[in-house]
Amino acid sequence: MKLEKEKHDKREKKKSKHSSKDREKDSEPNGKHKPSSKMQESDSQSGVSSSAVKSEAGDGEMHEDVKVGPDERTQDDGQEKSSSPEINNNKKNNKQKTRSKSSKERHNHKEKSEQTADQELCDVDGNLQNESNGDSNQADEGHGCESEAAPKQEADEPQAAAPVKIKKKRVKDEKSPEKHDDKNQTSGKKRKKQTSEHDKAEKNKKIKKGGDEEDKKKKKGKKEDKKDEESDKWKWWEEGKLSDSQKWSSLEHKGPYFPPEYEPLPDNVCFYYDGQTVKLSPATEEIATFYAKMLDHEYTTKEVFQNNFFGDWREVMTKDERKLIKTLSKCDFSQILKYFVEKSEERKNMTKEEKQVLKDEANRLMEEYGYCLLDGHREKIGNFKLEPPGLFRGRGEHPKMGKLKKRIQPEDVTINCSEDSKVPEPPAGHQWKRVQHDNTVTWLASWLENIHGRPKYIMLNPSSKLKGEKDWQKYETARRLKMSVDSIRKRYRRDWKSREMKSRQRGVAIYFIDKLALRAGNEKDDESADTVGCCSLRVEHIRLHRRLDGQEHVVEFDFLGKDSIRYYNKVPVEKQVFKNLKLFIKHKDPEDDLFDRITTINLNKTLNESMSGLTAKVFRTFNASTTLQDQLNKLTTEDMTVEEKILSYNRANRAVAILCNHQRAAPKTFEKSMQLLQEKIQKKKEQIEEAKKELKEAKKAHKDAPSDKSKKLLEKKEKAVQRLCEQLKKLQLQETDREENKVIALGTSKLNYLDPRITVAWCKKHQVPIEKIYNKTQRDKFAWAIDMTDENFQF
């Protein structure tokens, strides 16, 4: 850097010499004379030269207060004093030219506009300065004079040799050599780049921070909305109940939402029959798409499904289509299937924005059709969308699988609302079948489905008042049974020895309903699935064993119950029941009814005589809730952790599900999820081993050199081991819970057969969050129980 500075100084000296010579040549022909030495000395001693020094920086960046003596004023940054005053003055003028040039480029418009005012001040006070620095002022056009203080100082101060304080402005452009301009520009770019990157990072941080703040605000807003919703919830259970016959006073709604009309397939998607392309009519094509969509399902491999579909499909075909399409085996639906698979993939690959559009549309439909006004309160509707047309599947080996479920039209629908409400508008060009105002029923709309000819309804959501009142009444009836059950049991025991066969069969049937929680069972026609209940059992559904697996008088049940779910159970029964069963099956074929002297109607009539409102279903609810209460009391202790208490609850719930035969197939993802859980457990065990080693080392270190630091480290390691052990225990409890409930459906009994007040009281008593037991839907459904129940409730 020193060498570069010396080179720079030499260049400046040469420039100043050349410029002084040029000025001497120019001044001679113009009649200008060299200034005398006296004049030069007077100029150097006065403060006039400060104007030239001040004009060096133009805009200037950094000011320094420099004391300049009379012998040092003509020096240039440490150079030797010039022997000739003229040369020294020329050097100053040249330097001023260079500096003023750079300053002129940096000058802004504001300083130029002030030139006139500054010039007037210079004319009054700057005569002496103009005489000594005429060339300097010519070079510094656009700058004018400095502030008003400078000429005043020059006029007032004596021309003494004492040092004076002046402001010196440094100019970066002149100090940096030309050779390093490119380097400076490069380094400047780097600095700018670094600065810009830093600014971007800061900006991103701010954006992220802002986004986090927005998320927090949204979460806070959601919490506030939830609080508002909770505060706005209709606590109907605190109000007086209407009469048993009247369900509501006012009811208003928008009617059902009809599915969109069929959109024909594109021209490039073809249906083939016997290898030839066939253009189907819209109605025929629509039903063809129903079958094509199910080609990958096992249903389409079943003969009953194929026959039912093809029979209903041919009824919709035109005459020409019926003449051509005579065999299902010659039909090729592969292109139609491929088209719908591609459409499905497109839906899966939708962008976030596209999915949001669909979500917004669904929300709009929910707001328009998904709510009604019941007694002036906004209530949610359960199923406001009508089922679109398709093929009936059924459960198990249903004889009607594959039949066409026809499109429901407004002309098929009956609307129910209050007289003073606005009747829902039917779709354009249609009208309702009927509009009625019946406040003794809870449905909003009704129609007949074509498969079984049974009515279907649009009802309110399970969280609504009407559903809640029905549930509450159901569980209260089951609780009342607790007071009458002993007398009912005595009665059906007496019937076992009755001389009348009908009484004996009724007594044994009620015993099965009480002990095994069997459904009563209804009479079935030939077109329904072969499912049975207690009263519809056949001889082939039971086997009697005098001794089996170390037990006496064992009855082996094996039949299909509701939803074609197999019921298989081996149950030891009382000796008199076993004798009666042998009597019931004597001289009967396997297809004959076991209880041929009674029906479900007769059975429920007898139960209602024993207690008002008692049916076989109430018995089932009573036994389920009683089992849950007993199991919870037995399995729960105060010293358990929350996770252990939840496991105890699920085990109690599982006992109820087994009693009620609430089974399910193992989930498809069960093996994979269990494998992941076991991997987590193994990893946690490894972490515990590592933590124990670290704890051992910490103990040794503390023992060898005890200190506060080693003590804190030891406590930290002990807490880490304890925390990891607790996490391992939680994972192991999850593994046990999942394995035990692999084929058991806990949700069915929880929603339909277990008094929710048992669960709420247990949660409050044992400090278990209700969210750990009930999900959002279940909490909404049982809001009445959560609000009214304390920890001392017992079923």
Side-chain angles (χ1 to χ4, degrees), residues 46-282:
S46 68
V48 177
S49 61
S50 65
S51 176
V53 175
K54 281 185 180 182
S55 65
E56 288 175 359
D59 289 341
E61 296 174 4
M62 190 166 64
H63 293 70
E64 288 185 359
D65 291 335
V66 182
K67 287 185 179 181
V68 183
D71 298 330
E72 294 175 328
R73 284 182 190 158
T74 56
Q75 292 180 4
D76 182 18
D77 293 337
Q79 294 181 23
E80 292 182 0
K81 193 174 182 179
S82 177
S83 58
S84 170
E86 185 181 352
I87 293 170
N88 195 28
N89 192 36
N90 288 333
K91 284 167 73 175
K92 284 184 181 180
N93 291 335
N94 187 43
K95 203 169 200 180
Q96 288 167 357
K97 281 185 178 182
T98 308
R99 291 174 180 172
S100 64
K101 188 177 180 180
S102 61
S103 67
K104 188 159 61 176
E105 290 173 357
R106 291 193 302 271
H107 241 290
N108 58 30
H109 180 69
K110 186 178 178 181
E111 292 182 31
K112 286 183 179 180
S113 65
E114 294 173 354
Q115 180 180 357
T116 307
D118 293 340
Q119 190 64 41
E120 290 174 1
L121 291 172
C122 290
D123 291 338
V124 176
D125 298 320
N127 292 327
L128 181 60
Q129 186 177 359
N130 289 335
E131 289 177 7
S132 62
N133 288 322
D135 295 333
S136 174
N137 288 334
Q138 289 176 9
D140 285 334
E141 287 179 4
H143 288 272
C145 295
E146 293 297 321
S147 64
E148 196 175 350
K152 280 184 179 179
Q153 187 180 7
E154 291 166 10
D156 297 339
E157 287 183 0
Q159 295 181 2
V164 294
K165 213 177 211 184
I166 62 170
K167 282 189 176 180
K168 184 177 181 182
K169 298 182 181 181
R170 293 182 181 175
V171 183
K172 290 183 180 180
D173 296 340
E174 193 169 321
K175 283 190 176 181
S176 58
E178 293 177 2
K179 288 184 179 180
H180 296 282
D181 284 350
D182 295 337
K183 289 184 180 179
N184 289 336
Q185 288 177 5
T186 306
S187 63
K189 286 180 181 178
K190 286 182 179 178
R191 282 195 298 273
K192 283 181 181 178
K193 189 175 181 181
Q194 290 172 356
T195 306
S196 63
E197 288 176 357
H198 177 72
D199 291 342
K200 283 181 182 178
E202 289 296 323
K203 190 175 181 181
N204 290 335
K205 282 182 182 178
K206 287 180 181 178
I207 291 170
K208 189 176 180 182
K209 189 177 180 181
D212 293 340
E213 288 176 358
E214 285 180 6
D215 291 340
K216 286 179 182 178
K217 285 180 181 178
K218 284 181 181 178
K219 287 180 181 177
K220 189 177 180 181
K222 285 181 180 178
K223 286 181 180 178
E224 289 175 357
D225 290 342
K226 284 182 180 178
K227 287 181 181 178
D228 292 340
E229 285 178 8
E230 289 176 1
S231 62
D232 291 341
K233 273 185 178 178
W234 181 19
K235 294 187 177 182
W236 50 262
W237 52 91
E238 295 178 354
E239 300 177 2
K241 187 182 176 184
L242 297 173
S243 63
D244 292 335
S245 59
Q246 185 178 345
K247 305 299 182 183
W248 44 264
S249 298
S250 64
L251 176 63
E252 184 174 342
H253 55 91
K254 285 290 189 77
Y257 173 76
F258 289 85
E261 294 295 327
Y262 173 68
E263 293 183 7
L265 296 171
D267 293 335
N268 61 332
V269 180
C270 300
F271 166 77
Y272 296 92
Y273 182 77
D274 200 13
Q276 301 295 320
T277 304
V278 178
K279 182 64 178 176
L280 300 174
S281 62

Side-chain angles (χ1 to χ4, degrees), residues 526-572:
D526 294 336
E527 293 185 341
S528 300
D530 186 21
T531 58
V532 297
C534 182
C535 295
S536 53
L537 284 170
R538 297 192 294 269
V539 173
E540 62 185 343
H541 293 143
I542 66 168
R543 292 181 65 186
L544 304 178
H545 304 278
R546 186 174 293 277
R547 181 178 292 275
L548 182 68
D549 300 332
Q551 294 178 320
E552 292 185 347
H553 308 121
V554 176
V555 180
E556 183 180 358
F557 292 90
D558 190 1
F559 60 89
L560 291 179
K562 185 180 178 181
D563 296 334
S564 297
I565 295 174
R566 184 188 181 195
Y567 181 92
Y568 182 79
N569 199 4
K570 296 176 183 177
V571 186

